[in-house]
Amino acid sequence: MIQLPAGFHLRRDTLARSVVVRRSWPVFLDLCVAGILLAAFYAVVQIARYWNSSPRTDFNISLSPHALPMYAFFSVVRIGIAYLLSLAFALIYGYIAAYTPRLEGLMLAALDILQSIPVLSFLPGVMLAMVALVPGHQLGIEMGAIILIFTGQAWNIAYSFYSSLKSIPRELTEAAHIYNFSPLQRFFNLELPFATIGLIWNSMVSVAGGWFFLMACEMFVLGSRDFRLPGLGSYLQTAAANGDFKAITYGLLTMIAIIVATDQIIWRPLIAWSDKFKFEQTESNNRVSSPLLHLLQHSSALRHLHHRTLRPISELFYRNSYKRRIEHQLHPVQHTKLQRIARIAAAVLLIGIVAFAAMHAVVLLRDIHPAQLGKILLGAGATFLRVFAALLIGSAWTIPAGVAIGLHPRLARIAQPLAQIAASVPATAIFPVLLVALIKAGGGLGIGSIALMLLGTQWYILFNVIAGAIAIPSDLREVGELFRFSTIEKWKVIILPSIFPYLVTGLITASGGAWNASIVAEYFRLKNQTMSTFGLGAQISAATDAGQFPILLWATIVMALIVVTINRLVWRPIYRIAETKYKLSA
């Protein structure tokens, strides 16, 4: 029986309605969840049917608005799968690099090289390998496109996770050791939660990068073959090549609708959920909220699933892991001679594969003329100046803007979706309008290429700075208010030291992204006319179109060497300062 305070009266029908609403709303939410699951199952069936069909690379891309829903569906699937692969790669690669001192330097150098290699440099090998791996099915071609999108998404997430692992406060690591956490317990209860904020914001910019390179991954020329896959990227590229600004507008509006829906359905709930992982001793009053996350947290079906299924499975897993660890401590396993031989054989096999690939690469490199090599080096110098200008201009506005967005949740509710939209819209889709304006103003593709690089890479800096500002502990900000720091003192003592590790990560990935973006910034097709400016990116794009693999390989090697050298001489020392001097500790 409900007891009401004295003098307070409640009509019986009002109470009945409130009880009905309280009971019916979770039921409605459960029906919505069931509908989402059924829609996902139907999408999986349609994708499986399409991937199992006979291979086709010459789809006729229709510019009709009625074709946009199907094209958007295929593009979302490709980007989604590529992101899941990128996240798995980042967690594994970053973990091994952070906790294996013998391999750390080699793995970071490999990451530098991989993030600097343009998508088009991966294109010939990836496509030919996937088509040969899955012959007779569309799956091979689709996997090739997905892996190409993966090459534009994975590296900054891996850098973010690695830097987060290296920045974990010492007292948290000692607490995990005192409580005898297993590696999996430490990963799920310490390392992954600590890195969550950076992972989410870098995931957002990675998905935006996937949209940026979607046009190059869904429609390209490889020698004498013209690859055209049904998707939003190929739609926008066809519209841009034909100068059809009406179709470009339809395509961009569709993309913006997808980005806004993704932000509200996925990123906003994740940002609100990750707010609890901030490393602070006093709880902040300004918390990010998400209506969808609130509804999901109050779903009776999901709560029942968690208590009945997920929690018992996790407890059983941790219990068995603890027993195995105790048995291993009591009875340590000795490596047998056969295991040592197997490891040596695996290492020899890996070295043999690398040596075989290197020999074939050397054969290709011998076919290039010294004059062509000199031209490649001069082009690298021109592209280097454009990359430096893009980073300088991008940093000038993204650092103050990112701090403002990260420190003010109300501003973030408005600015974050707008930044997500701006970062996700492929600059190559709006580049025809920008290029025409620059030509009328007396500029050309030389200046336009810097603008296109800036549109494609400044978001790496912005989103990392936002993540760093969000991760600033509330008690540090309260100290600044207590001692009445001026604005300059707050930036010097609190803000810049706190965001410094995130800023360095953003600059490293933006630098590699700018080199990567040069392939579309320096070589552009407009109305069946190819426009290019002198640079390394233009040479790579032209070599890909002409099937000149020696020039493509040499240009890729030069670009990788430049990026690795810059990272070693500039970014790596700064990164060491970030993970030692500016490491948060209680």
Side-chain angles (χ1 to χ4, degrees):
M1 184 174 179
I2 300 177
Q3 299 291 336
L4 299 178
F8 186 85
H9 302 281
L10 182 65
R11 292 178 55 183
R12 181 172 299 179
D13 56 346
T14 304
L15 179 61
R17 283 198 302 268
S18 65
V19 173
V20 170
V21 169
R22 193 179 299 114
R23 290 180 178 178
S24 61
W25 179 246
V27 175
F28 172 75
L29 181 59
D30 295 338
L31 292 176
C32 292
V33 172
I36 294 173
L37 293 177
L38 289 175
F41 177 77
Y42 176 76
V44 170
V45 171
Q46 294 300 317
I47 285 294
R49 184 178 302 170
Y50 166 64
W51 284 358
N52 197 42
S53 62
S54 300
R56 283 189 59 190
T57 60
D58 56 346
F59 284 93
N60 183 22
I61 305 301
S62 172
L63 295 182
S64 171
H66 300 289
L68 280 173
M70 182 185 68
Y71 290 164
F73 171 70
F74 285 131
S75 295
V76 168
V77 170
R78 293 185 189 110
I79 290 179
I81 295 176
Y83 168 70
L84 293 178
L85 293 176
S86 301
L87 182 60
F89 168 84
L91 295 179
I92 297 172
Y93 198 94
Y95 189 90
I96 296 175
Y99 292 117
T100 311
R102 293 182 179 180
L103 298 177
E104 182 177 4
L106 179 62
M107 294 183 71
L108 291 180
L111 201 60
D112 294 338
I113 294 172
L114 289 172
Q115 75 154 347
S116 64
I117 297 177
V119 170
L120 292 184
S121 297
F122 287 106
L123 195 151
V126 168
M127 270 299 168
L128 294 176
M130 289 297 102
V131 171
L133 186 63
V134 190
H137 296 283
Q138 186 69 20
L139 176 62
I141 301 172
E142 290 291 331
M143 287 305 299
I146 289 171
I147 293 177
L148 289 175
I149 298 173
F150 163 87
T151 60
Q153 290 184 341
W155 322 126
N156 67 297
I157 308 180
Y159 260 121
S160 173
F161 188 59
Y162 166 80
S163 62
S164 296
L165 294 180
K166 301 296 286 188
S167 303
I168 295 178
R170 184 181 297 108
E171 54 269 22
L172 294 183
T173 304
E174 292 174 352
H177 179 72
I178 291 173
Y179 285 100
N180 198 22
F181 277 11
S182 67
L184 285 176
Q185 285 178 310
R186 188 180 63 206
F187 178 79
F188 286 109
N189 296 319
L190 172 60
E191 293 158 349
L192 190 57
F194 187 83
T196 295
I197 294 177
L199 280 176
I200 290 175
W201 284 94
N202 276 278
S203 295
M204 293 168 65
V205 74
S206 286
V207 173
W211 285 108
F212 183 86
F213 288 107
L214 191 68
M215 295 172 67
C217 297
E218 290 185 347
M219 186 175 175
F220 51 88
V221 177
L222 183 57
S224 59
R225 299 186 63 181
D226 189 2
F227 285 81
R228 298 186 180 191
L229 300 177
L232 200 53
S234 55
Y235 179 93
L236 286 170
Q237 186 171 350
T238 303
N242 295 336
D244 191 340
F245 296 105
K246 185 177 181 180
I248 291 176
T249 303
Y250 285 137
L252 290 179
L253 289 177
T254 303
M255 182 176 292
I256 290 173
I258 295 173
I259 294 167
V260 171
T262 304
D263 176 76
Q264 296 300 315
I265 296 174
I266 298 177
W267 299 128
R268 177 57 52 183
L270 285 177
I271 292 172
W273 171 74
S274 68
D275 199 53
K276 65 181 181 181
F277 296 123
K278 289 177 63 175
F279 180 62
E280 56 187 5
Q281 295 179 341
T282 59
E283 186 176 1
S284 173
N285 294 324
N286 296 322
R287 292 292 183 184
V288 181
S289 60
S290 169
L292 181 59
L293 178 64
H294 177 78
L295 294 178
L296 292 176
Q297 290 175 339
H298 290 78
S299 170
S300 58
L302 294 179
R303 190 184 306 113
H304 182 78
L305 177 66
H306 179 265
H307 286 289
R308 297 288 184 178
T309 306
L310 299 180
R311 180 177 293 179
I313 292 176
S314 62
E315 291 178 353
L316 179 63
F317 178 80
Y318 284 134
R319 190 181 304 114
N320 293 335
S321 176
Y322 176 77
K323 290 181 180 178
R324 287 194 301 268
R325 191 167 69 257
I326 295 299
E327 291 178 359
H328 178 74
Q329 292 175 355
L330 296 176
H331 307 286
V333 179
Q334 299 293 334
H335 294 289
T336 63
K337 186 177 181 180
L338 183 61
Q339 290 175 328
R340 297 192 188 98
I341 294 175
R343 289 184 177 181
I344 295 174
V348 170
L349 179 62
L350 180 61
I351 294 173
I353 294 174
V354 173
F356 179 78
M359 288 176 59
H360 281 269
V362 170
V363 173
L364 282 176
L365 296 177
R366 290 172 54 187
D367 296 335
I368 194 170
H369 194 271
Q372 293 175 319
L373 180 58
K375 185 178 179 181
I376 290 174
L377 295 177
L378 290 176
T383 303
F384 170 78
L385 294 178
R386 296 189 184 101
V387 169
F388 180 76
L391 286 179
L392 194 62
I393 297 171
S395 300
W397 79 270
T398 55
I399 295 176
V403 170
I405 294 172
L407 295 183
H408 301 88
R410 291 183 178 179
L411 178 61
R413 293 190 189 100
I414 302 173
Q416 183 264 320
L418 295 178
Q420 181 71 11
I421 293 172
S424 301
V425 173
T428 45
I430 62 175
F431 196 51
V433 180
L434 178 63
L435 187 58
V436 170
L438 286 172
I439 292 175
K440 289 183 178 180
L445 192 59
I447 299 176
S449 59
I450 298 176
L452 192 58
M453 285 183 185
L454 184 64
L455 291 174
T457 60
Q458 60 191 349
W459 313 112
Y460 292 101
I461 307 174
L462 177 64
F463 281 80
N464 274 282
V465 171
I466 293 174
I470 289 177
I472 296 178
S474 300
D475 37 359
L476 286 184
R477 297 170 58 185
E478 290 173 359
V479 167
E481 297 294 336
L482 181 64
F483 286 95
R484 298 181 180 179
F485 283 178
S486 64
T487 303
I488 296 178
E489 288 175 330
K490 287 181 181 179
W491 275 86
K492 183 179 179 181
V493 178
I494 298 176
I495 297 176
L496 284 179
S498 298
I499 70 171
F500 192 71
Y502 295 87
L503 176 61
V504 174
T505 301
L507 288 172
I508 292 174
T509 53
S511 175
W515 284 96
N516 206 332
S518 66
I519 62 173
V520 294
E522 298 177 346
Y523 189 89
F524 192 78
R525 295 186 185 90
L526 180 62
K527 292 184 177 180
N528 298 323
Q529 179 184 1
T530 300
M531 305 181 65
S532 64
T533 186
F534 184 69
L536 193 59
Q539 294 170 350
I540 290 176
S541 297
T544 303
D545 284 354
Q548 297 176 335
F549 297 115
I551 297 179
L552 176 63
L553 182 58
W554 260 116
T556 302
I557 291 175
V558 169
M559 183 177 288
L561 287 176
I562 292 175
V563 174
V564 171
T565 303
I566 293 174
N567 285 354
R568 288 297 172 186
L569 297 181
V570 179
W571 298 124
R572 197 62 60 201
I574 298 177
Y575 193 84
R576 295 301 178 192
I577 296 175
E579 70 180 20
T580 54
K581 185 176 180 180
Y582 298 110
K583 187 176 182 178
L584 282 175
S585 295

